[in-house]
Amino acid sequence: MLSNYSISATRIVDYPWINFASGSTLDISQVELTDTATVLHIKAHFRPKNWITIAGTSTLKADGKSYALKGADGITPDEKFWMPDTGTADFTLIFEPMPESTQTFDFSEGDIDGAFRLEGIDLTGNPQPQYPAGVPAEVMTAFIDGPVPAPAFEIGETTINFHLLPYTQGRMTEMNVYVNGMDGSQEEYPVKFDNNGNATLKFKQYGSGKAFAVDMNSSQSIGGLTLYPGETVDCWIDTRINGGQAMRYREGFDADIYKSKIHNGKYSNFDRMTDNRSSQYYGYRVDDFDYHMSGNEYKEKLKSIYFANLDSIQNEAMPQMKREYKTLALQDNILFATAHYTDILRNNYMSKNNDWSTRPPMDSIRAILSDKDYEEIASWFNIENPKLLMIGNNVSKIDWNSHGVKCDLPKALHMYRKMSQKVKSQTLQPSDLDSLKTISDPFFATACHDMYEINARKLEELKNMVTVSPTPEVEADAVFDAIIAPHKGKVVIVDLWNTWCGPCRMALKQNEPLKEGELSNEDIVWIYIADESSDPVKYLEMLPGIKGIHYKVNEQQIRAIRKRFEVDGIPYYILVDREGNAEGRPDLRDHSKYINAIKSKL
């Protein structure tokens, strides 16, 4: 370690632009280049009272050459550095000297798990272009004003061709693409890039929808694409968006200096407008309400919020499309607050009591919206406007007709939402399709029928490819003991999960390699328990990638397991020792504890 270094700097660059970062923990506030050393002034941002480390093997790379770490000030390489209460810390890293003429360089801790990486650190001071090199000129067009486009009630196979620019091998390797449907569902599609930074995704799309991409290496959101069913879209992803993670704490940093992605689809102009992340927020906040409110008081407060925000939108100077978009977003926000008013008041209770771990008693929330309240809310704006679906699908969450509000499109959307859930659980009946056929637009019945037939074929194919263990035929309270009984004498790790649970999927991906690595041991039994809320097709599709014994239990059985182990959410782990003693271990969501706890029972 070099402390209290004294170097005569020949070149100083403040806050250099970072084109790629593996996370948001490290930023560079200054680079000093001299004939004896290269000094990085680091500003770290991390959770207070948690630690980070900087590997002693860290290097800088520029123009094909590597420069080793010589020492540091304010931190000791390879030792834990505990973050202060502020969550911000400053230290310096001192490397071998790079040439003063260096224009760009990379910082890396090496090939270690979770290594810090900062790449494309720009010392030129030149302004960054809005688009990376390689994006076709015809798609780099300016936003054209006009009305918000309407959604399409059509069915087709949509194709997205993704292109990473600028491309560096290993910088981004895979994404998850989440597609929101008109029925309120969200489908997840994994995407892997080839050695040229290209990937193609094809899927059946039912009506217009929004797709969101997430870089699985850095968990960075790439942004959203509004998609027209059946179209083929080229989407160019600006990988510099990951560099914004490191720079986001800089004063005055403009996250909109470049676009995270651009595409050439039918809704590309609409997405150019919605991509501006600096748009002002309009809508309710939890603290706008009071959990003591009656239904009428809640409705009146919601009314004042809506019209006050509507007035602000109408009086703000902005393009026509942006004004219409903000108005629709406000209306969708009001629809959400109507559909989820009980949850909002419960959150208000927890906020005011500063206790987010305890659900409020039911009698503390007394608000009930009456049919007259629903009728009045429906009169504030046109709930039949199909363009609401360009924002979200909250209009479909309410059965307006049961509250006396006569409407066609919201009724159709609500019925479609309900029936599509039956499709996924394979419980759709011919009478359900007959009820959908009463809707004037044939899209809804056709979509459900098509989805049902596809799912039925997939289910039949998958049943012959994977094995789900039969659940023991015992009382619900005894199911768990019956499941683990055959494995006495071994260590059993039970994972409660479901297909719709994002954190469960992430944990499965993280833990699966351990079975062939650090936790490779014949005395460990891996048991996975899902329940009937998991999509039957997706459940069977996922099982080949999860090595272990699988059970799918019914509602009464999972309720008994949750009650016994006080399950607070999923993923949830139950660790069983060799004698058959079982204990709930929610702390094993921490990956390092997961490994050590299982080892301790061997």
Side-chain angles (χ1 to χ4, degrees):
M1 174 178 176
L2 299 179
S3 61
N4 299 319
Y5 66 94
S6 178
I7 303 171
S8 177
T10 56
R11 184 182 177 198
I12 296 177
V13 179
D14 292 324
Y15 289 103
W17 189 270
I18 299 170
N19 278 291
F20 173 83
S22 59
S24 60
T25 301
L26 302 185
D27 189 12
I28 300 174
S29 60
Q30 189 180 81
V31 178
E32 297 181 53
L33 297 113
T34 78
D35 56 359
T36 58
T38 303
V39 182
L40 304 190
H41 293 263
I42 303 293
K43 188 172 284 291
H45 304 270
F46 200 58
R47 293 187 297 272
K49 298 181 180 179
N50 281 255
W51 56 268
I52 63 172
T53 60
I54 297 294
T57 55
S58 296
T59 59
L60 304 183
K61 292 185 178 180
D63 300 319
K65 295 182 179 180
S66 296
Y67 303 87
L69 180 67
K70 296 168 60 179
D73 260 342
I75 192 171
T76 302
D78 294 321
E79 292 187 10
K80 292 179 180 179
F81 176 84
W82 293 90
M83 294 296 292
D85 290 343
T86 60
T88 302
D90 296 282
F91 53 84
T92 57
L93 301 177
I94 306 163
F95 295 84
E96 293 175 325
M98 292 191 303
E100 183 186 347
S101 59
T102 300
Q103 294 191 337
T104 64
F105 69 95
D106 301 334
F107 161 81
S108 173
E109 287 190 291
D111 296 327
I112 56 177
D113 189 32
F116 290 127
R117 290 165 56 208
L118 302 174
E119 298 176 1
I121 303 165
D122 192 332
L123 301 179
T124 66
N126 296 328
Q128 293 290 314
Q130 185 179 27
Y131 299 104
V135 176
E138 60 267 24
V139 299
M140 293 190 290
T141 57
F143 159 69
I144 302 171
D145 197 16
V148 168
F153 294 89
E154 298 177 19
I155 302 169
E157 184 177 68
T158 300
T159 302
I160 312 175
N161 298 310
F162 292 103
H163 315 283
L164 299 178
L165 294 173
Y167 176 67
T168 300
Q169 193 165 2
R171 183 174 286 185
M172 289 176 64
T173 57
E174 57 183 324
M175 294 190 313
N176 272 4
V177 179
Y178 303 90
V179 181
N180 292 339
M182 276 189 181
D183 60 352
S185 67
Q186 184 180 80
E187 296 296 327
E188 177 185 2
Y189 301 98
V191 172
K192 292 192 175 182
F193 292 96
D194 63 21
N195 290 332
N196 296 311
N198 299 315
T200 296
L201 170 64
K202 294 184 179 183
F203 59 93
K204 197 73 170 284
Q205 186 177 346
Y206 300 88
S208 302
K210 196 89 167 181
F212 297 89
V214 177
D215 173 15
M216 299 310 293
N217 298 83
S218 65
S219 299
Q220 171 72 36
S221 173
I222 306 301
L225 293 80
T226 309
L227 298 169
Y228 194 100
E231 68 176 339
T232 296
V233 177
D234 280 287
C235 177
W236 293 268
I237 296 173
D238 190 341
T239 59
R240 297 174 302 169
I241 187 69
N242 282 327
Q245 291 188 102
M247 301 184 289
R248 64 179 178 172
Y249 296 103
R250 296 182 183 181
E251 185 177 351
F253 174 68
D254 181 10
D256 286 320
I257 194 168
Y258 49 70
K259 303 300 181 187
S260 60
K261 53 94 185 76
I262 187 171
H263 66 90
N264 60 0
K266 292 184 180 181
Y267 292 121
S268 60
N269 186 59
F270 174 67
D271 283 346
R272 284 188 181 87
M273 184 272 299
T274 60
D275 274 349
N276 191 325
R277 287 167 285 182
S278 62
S279 297
Q280 184 177 345
Y281 173 84
Y282 289 99
Y284 80 90
R285 288 176 170 81
V286 168
D287 289 337
D288 289 334
F289 302 97
D290 189 297
Y291 67 90
H292 297 100
M293 284 178 166
S294 66
N296 183 65
E297 289 170 332
Y298 182 91
K299 180 260 298 178
E300 287 298 319
K301 182 63 179 178
L302 200 59
K303 182 178 182 179
S304 68
I305 290 170
Y306 174 67
F307 285 102
N309 281 286
L310 184 63
D311 187 61
S312 296
I313 294 171
Q314 291 172 343
N315 289 314
E316 183 181 344
M318 65 182 83
Q320 173 192 352
M321 187 184 293
K322 189 171 184 179
R323 188 186 310 280
E324 186 180 3
Y325 170 78
K326 284 195 170 187
T327 302
L328 290 166
L330 170 63
Q331 291 168 352
D332 186 70
N333 186 271
I334 295 299
L335 291 167
F336 180 91
T338 303
H340 298 282
Y341 70 91
T342 301
D343 291 329
I344 290 169
L345 292 177
R346 285 176 183 165
N347 286 340
N348 177 263
Y349 175 98
M350 292 186 282
S351 175
K352 290 191 173 180
N353 287 279
N354 195 29
D355 180 4
W356 293 92
S357 61
T358 305
R359 296 287 287 175
M362 288 302 297
D363 59 2
S364 64
I365 311 298
R366 59 190 183 92
I368 298 177
L369 292 180
S370 67
D371 288 350
K372 289 189 65 175
D373 292 328
Y374 282 100
E375 288 177 13
E376 183 177 343
I377 292 168
S379 72
W380 298 344
F381 51 87
N382 181 17
I383 63 171
E384 297 267 15
N385 186 356
K387 290 185 181 182
L388 285 167
L389 295 170
M390 297 298 287
I391 308 298
N393 51 52
N394 285 302
V395 69
S396 70
K397 293 179 179 178
I398 302 168
D399 186 358
W400 294 96
N401 285 268
S402 70
H403 294 293
V405 181
K406 301 301 180 184
C407 51
D408 293 324
L409 182 58
K411 175 186 176 181
L413 289 166
H414 182 75
M415 189 181 297
Y416 177 51
R417 185 186 188 97
K418 185 177 178 181
M419 297 306 174
S420 66
Q421 290 170 351
K422 287 190 172 186
V423 167
K424 290 179 174 59
S425 63
Q426 288 293 296
T427 59
L428 190 74
Q429 301 297 319
S431 58
D432 295 322
L433 285 174
D434 289 341
S435 65
L436 281 169
K437 289 175 183 176
T438 64
I439 300 170
S440 58
D441 191 330
F443 163 80
F444 300 102
T446 303
C448 277
H449 184 266
D450 189 65
M451 285 188 286
Y452 184 84
E453 289 198 330
I454 291 173
N455 277 12
R457 285 197 300 270
K458 283 184 180 179
L459 200 59
E460 204 56 41
E461 293 169 3
L462 289 164
K463 282 178 179 178
N464 299 320
M465 297 171 58
V466 296
T467 301
V468 180
S469 298
T471 303
E473 295 183 3
V474 295
E475 293 295 324
D477 290 346
V479 162
F480 183 84
D481 289 332
I483 286 174
I484 66 170
H487 311 291
K488 194 168 184 180
K490 294 192 175 186
V491 175
V492 181
I493 180 71
V494 180
D495 186 334
L496 304 185
W497 73 292
N498 274 306
T499 57
W500 46 262
C501 169
C504 297
R505 296 193 300 269
M506 292 294 291
L508 288 168
K509 183 177 180 180
Q510 188 178 36
N511 294 335
E512 195 63 23
L514 298 173
K515 298 170 186 177
E516 304 298 329
E518 203 167 350
L519 294 177
S520 176
N521 193 309
E522 292 183 358
D523 279 353
I524 301 176
V525 177
W526 310 87
I527 293 179
Y528 296 87
I529 299 177
D531 61 55
E532 292 175 337
S533 66
S534 281
D535 181 322
V537 172
K538 185 169 289 186
Y539 176 72
L540 294 180
E541 285 178 334
M542 290 181 67
L543 293 199
I546 310 170
K547 181 181 176 182
I549 304 170
H550 294 274
Y551 293 91
K552 199 173 189 184
V553 299
N554 63 33
E555 186 178 348
Q556 292 76 25
Q557 292 163 341
I558 194 62
R559 191 185 300 128
I561 294 171
R562 288 173 183 158
K563 182 179 179 181
R564 173 174 170 179
F565 293 101
E566 299 181 347
V567 176
D568 59 353
I570 54 175
Y572 189 91
Y573 303 101
I574 302 167
L575 190 55
V576 186
D577 65 20
R578 292 180 185 272
E579 286 70 45
N581 301 309
E583 61 175 333
R585 295 292 300 272
D587 60 315
L588 301 193
R589 293 165 183 153
D590 182 322
H591 191 58
S592 60
K593 292 182 179 178
Y594 181 90
I595 297 169
N596 294 334
I598 296 173
K599 282 184 173 181
S600 71
K601 300 295 183 182
L602 290 171

